[in-house]
Amino acid sequence: MTDDPVAVLRRWADAGGIWRVAGRRSGSVTVALYQCTGDAEVDRLTSSDPELLRYIGERTSSED
């Protein structure tokens, strides 16, 4: 992924989309991106970026 993953999640949420943590592993996270209704998954991103891990923290979604 070439974009900053934190910026991707912020843009997604700012546009009305929802993100949800799909999986966590030691040192990485997979995040599913959903339409604003939360019904249809549009994309996923997996990253070990420390800033992303801090940004998400213990949250499970953008709705937390």
Side-chain angles (χ1 to χ4, degrees):
M1 169 172 277
T2 58
D3 275 337
D4 169 15
V6 174
V8 169
L9 293 188
R10 286 184 174 150
R11 280 194 311 267
W12 192 260
D14 288 348
I18 298 168
W19 58 260
R20 295 182 181 135
V21 174
R24 294 180 195 261
R25 292 187 181 236
S26 179
S28 73
V29 65
T30 298
V31 180
L33 306 177
Y34 289 84
Q35 295 175 347
C36 61
T37 60
D39 294 333
E41 184 177 323
V42 177
D43 202 359
R44 284 186 177 213
L45 68 90
T46 300
S47 178
S48 58
D49 184 290
E51 290 298 318
L52 177 65
L53 297 174
R54 278 192 286 278
Y55 177 73
I56 291 175
E58 295 300 314
R59 295 187 288 169
T60 58
S61 82
S62 56
E63 300 171 301
D64 290 350

